[in-house]
Amino acid sequence: MIAPGNRPLKAKFILPALTEATDPYWRPIKYSLFPPLGLATLAAYLSQDDCAVIEDEHVQPLTFDDTPDLVIIQVYITNAYRAYKLADHYRKRGAFVCLGGLHVTSLPEEAIAHADTIFLGPGEQTFPQFLRDFRAGAPQRTYISTSGRTLERIPPIRRDLIQRRLYLVPNSIVVTRGCPQHCDFCYKDAFFQGGRGFYTQRVDDALAEINRLPGRHLYFLDDICWAIAASPKLYLKA
Amino acid sequence: MKGMGRLFQGAATVDSILRGDLIERAAEAGLRSIFVGFETLAPENLRRSNKRQNLGRDYKAVADRLHSLGIMINGSFVFGMDDDREDVFRRTVDWAVEHGITTATFHIQTPYPGTALYARMQREGRMLTRDWNLFDTRHVVYRPAQLKPEVLKEGYDWANQEFYRWSSIARASLHHGTLKHQAKHFFYASGWKKFEPVWDLMIRMRQLTHVTPLLEGVLSKVTSASAKSKLPVTEKADEILKVAV
């Protein structure tokens, strides 16, 4: 590939629809609750000159005739086939396609057949590393998150890329990663393999994030009590 | 966050709710509803799934504590764990209704690739499919230990209908002591499950943000607290309830 160097990138982030969101049981409201915060978190690592868009198939029809340089798709188990189809489509159109998420981390050999690069585990450290490698023209096939995981100094989530009016709870927020428990049915141990399985945002960063959210209502998607136990100041600070 | 005038919803585990005064502090800071993974009422299931933090915990104490703080409960329950027999559906729904759980999410146990549960099911030759589209917690993708797959599916469907019958919603609402608390439970649960055409319309009109103030109203305080922490939105909720009644 030709190294893009510092040329501005066109990056497209996609959350494909979960299969259950399209079956007869579908309750549209249930899939219009929370915006894709993970993708907005990754988008924050782009440079200022780059152009980014997030498309969430649960709330909007996807566009297929665009020509992004970079496509990043979040893969869950029930949108995996859809994600692979979209990945194939964009690779044919000449885009560089990245896949990541719970299902990719569980079954990397299945996902890599449809991707230029895959990401195993959380992306806060590996995605910026990938962007540097990509600009230099030498992206790796696989990025595995291991040691050094932290939420310190991560850039603020790109909430400007989220169309708030399409969601019932645009003010959803995550201040921790992982969980201190090890339930056998949960993805957590597999996803966080090789490094820390539970860590939190700094109190000041969390408060700053909360202050950026308009209105009064918030929805914490992580375990609120563990978050309080880990950083009691968050809840007492006026 | 205390003093920031926020209302919020979140998730928690059974043992973190019972631990110290964390939940009281969260309530003071504005916590109004909470997602709780009860998973199962059978201790043997908890032991096997290594969800040890739920073991020996008094689920009733969890529900009572949250109710007394005016926090609504979205309870999550899983069917089809190895200790579950045909009575699991009725026992679970009855428990949830009797203890005033506001909304419930039921799931069919689904072993995801990469998890210890999936590895065990594979070892025991119990996985039935690799069609990932079916791994949505509404289909049976493994062989349950004591239930026929079709009984598990039917029981799951039955539980969803039974919990959200008008009579069940009313009965669960009546669990609460004050009329205001009862009304809040009733409107939150029925608003969530019974007003589908309204939700669909709002989505089509791309107007979901306009529901947020209503949600804030329904989430307002029901416990009588000190005047200092009384939020102006409480009055708004009263108006909404008056109009609704």
Side-chain angles (χ1 to χ4, degrees):
Chain A
M1 67 176 276
I2 306 158
N6 286 329
R7 173 173 69 79
L9 295 173
K10 277 189 287 175
K12 176 170 182 167
F13 295 82
I14 307 176
L15 178 60
L18 303 174
T19 310
E20 62 267 33
T22 55
D23 84 0
Y25 267 108
W26 186 27
R27 302 186 57 215
I29 187 61
K30 214 171 162 176
Y31 299 93
S32 302
L33 289 174
F34 310 116
L37 291 184
L39 294 176
T41 302
L42 295 182
Y45 290 100
L46 292 166
S47 306
Q48 256 181 351
D49 298 335
D50 296 335
C51 170
V53 58
I54 295 180
E55 288 187 2
D56 173 0
E57 200 177 8
H58 300 95
V59 298
Q60 66 196 129
L62 299 179
T63 47
F64 298 104
D65 55 354
D66 47 349
T67 51
D69 304 302
L70 201 53
V71 172
I72 299 99
I73 306 178
Q74 183 171 9
V75 188
Y76 290 97
I77 191 163
T78 54
N79 73 9
Y81 299 138
R82 179 81 179 138
Y84 299 153
K85 242 177 103 175
L86 292 166
D88 297 344
H89 168 79
Y90 276 107
R91 287 178 91 193
K92 258 185 232 142
R93 292 179 71 85
F96 188 96
V97 173
C98 300
L99 298 179
L102 294 174
H103 190 67
V104 172
T105 306
S106 293
L107 297 173
E109 52 309 327
E110 181 184 290
I112 203 156
H114 303 274
D116 296 296
T117 286
I118 58 169
F119 293 84
L120 310 193
E124 280 94 358
Q125 277 68 48
T126 51
F127 191 67
Q129 179 60 48
F130 158 77
L131 285 175
R132 285 191 290 274
D133 297 346
F134 181 74
R135 285 188 209 278
Q140 297 169 33
R141 241 353 221 143
T142 304
Y143 288 82
I144 305 174
S145 164
T146 51
S147 54
R149 281 177 204 154
T150 175
L151 298 178
E152 305 233 342
R153 284 184 296 279
I154 69 165
I157 303 182
R158 287 287 304 273
R159 292 194 182 257
D160 59 301
L161 298 177
I162 290 167
Q163 298 184 60
R164 292 178 56 86
R165 66 200 171 85
L166 300 184
Y167 298 95
L168 179 62
V169 191
N171 284 0
S172 53
I173 184 169
V174 182
V175 297
T176 63
R177 295 288 187 276
C179 166
Q181 312 290 350
H182 305 278
C183 305
D184 84 334
F185 49 78
C186 179
Y187 274 120
K188 178 235 144 186
D189 279 333
F191 190 71
F192 289 93
Q193 208 175 35
R196 288 206 284 174
F198 180 58
Y199 45 106
T200 61
Q201 226 175 357
R202 286 180 42 216
V203 174
D204 291 349
D205 293 340
L207 287 171
E209 177 69 14
I210 290 168
N211 278 324
R212 277 192 285 273
L213 298 170
R216 303 190 60 211
H217 178 247
L218 298 174
Y219 201 121
F220 287 88
L221 295 172
D222 32 22
D223 188 313
I224 197 74
C225 287
W226 289 126
I228 298 175
S231 44
K233 279 188 200 144
L234 173 61
Y235 298 91
L236 297 175
K237 220 159 178 169
Chain B
M1 276 186 61
K2 193 176 163 189
M4 284 171 78
R6 293 284 192 167
L7 296 169
F8 62 95
Q9 298 175 270
T13 53
V14 164
D15 88 317
S16 65
I17 290 167
L18 294 177
R19 181 180 294 220
D21 64 344
L22 295 173
I23 198 71
E24 276 81 7
R25 283 152 66 182
E28 273 174 38
L31 179 66
R32 291 293 180 267
S33 97
I34 200 156
F35 177 97
V36 183
F38 291 107
E39 319 305 3
T40 174
L41 304 176
E44 189 46 42
N45 284 333
L46 290 171
R47 228 182 310 278
R48 197 169 285 135
S49 65
N50 201 35
K51 185 140 180 169
R52 296 188 173 273
Q53 68 271 25
N54 281 31
L55 260 179
R57 302 294 177 196
D58 185 348
Y59 283 11
K60 183 180 180 304
V62 171
D64 290 348
R65 193 164 194 188
L66 293 171
H67 290 323
S68 74
L69 294 167
I71 299 169
M72 291 189 287
I73 308 171
N74 175 14
S76 173
F77 301 90
V78 175
F79 296 131
M81 297 172 92
D82 281 0
D83 207 38
D84 286 349
R85 298 182 185 82
E86 292 193 17
D87 63 343
V88 68
F89 312 106
R90 175 164 289 285
R91 274 198 302 126
T92 307
V93 171
D94 282 352
W95 188 89
V97 171
E98 273 160 28
H99 290 83
I101 304 297
T102 327
T103 56
T105 315
F106 300 105
H107 306 276
I108 292 173
Q109 174 168 265
T110 301
Y112 295 123
T115 63
L117 176 64
Y118 187 86
R120 178 165 74 82
M121 289 293 170
Q122 278 227 303
R123 246 187 350 260
E124 296 173 2
R126 292 167 62 187
M127 290 310 299
L128 297 174
T129 175
R130 278 179 65 93
D131 179 352
W132 306 137
N133 282 341
L134 299 176
F135 283 58
D136 61 357
T137 80
R138 298 168 188 179
H139 293 86
V140 183
V141 295
Y142 70 103
R143 199 171 307 113
Q146 314 200 44
L147 290 163
K148 288 200 177 94
E150 56 277 16
V151 172
L152 176 51
K153 173 73 178 154
E154 283 159 18
Y156 160 82
D157 289 337
W158 176 87
N160 269 311
Q161 280 163 18
E162 185 68 16
F163 184 83
Y164 286 105
R165 278 170 50 187
W166 282 115
S167 59
S168 302
I169 293 176
R171 198 148 63 86
S173 306
L174 290 173
H175 176 84
H176 306 293
T178 66
L179 186 61
K180 194 166 168 186
H181 200 160
Q182 290 170 0
K184 179 163 110 161
H185 179 126
F186 189 82
F187 285 114
Y188 190 83
S190 52
W192 176 236
K193 268 286 178 156
K194 297 286 192 187
F195 295 170
E196 212 61 40
V198 180
W199 290 121
D200 291 348
L201 184 68
M202 298 303 270
I203 288 169
R204 270 203 303 280
M205 292 170 64
R206 311 201 143 199
Q207 297 297 322
L208 275 179
T209 25
H210 295 321
V211 187
T212 310
L214 185 70
L215 183 63
E216 289 177 357
V218 177
L219 288 177
S220 70
K221 251 184 142 77
V222 287
T223 50
S224 51
S226 63
K228 191 179 60 165
S229 59
K230 193 158 184 187
L231 306 162
V233 80
T234 315
E235 278 82 63
K236 200 196 281 177
D238 286 340
E239 280 164 35
I240 291 167
L241 292 183
K242 258 182 246 156
V243 173
V245 176

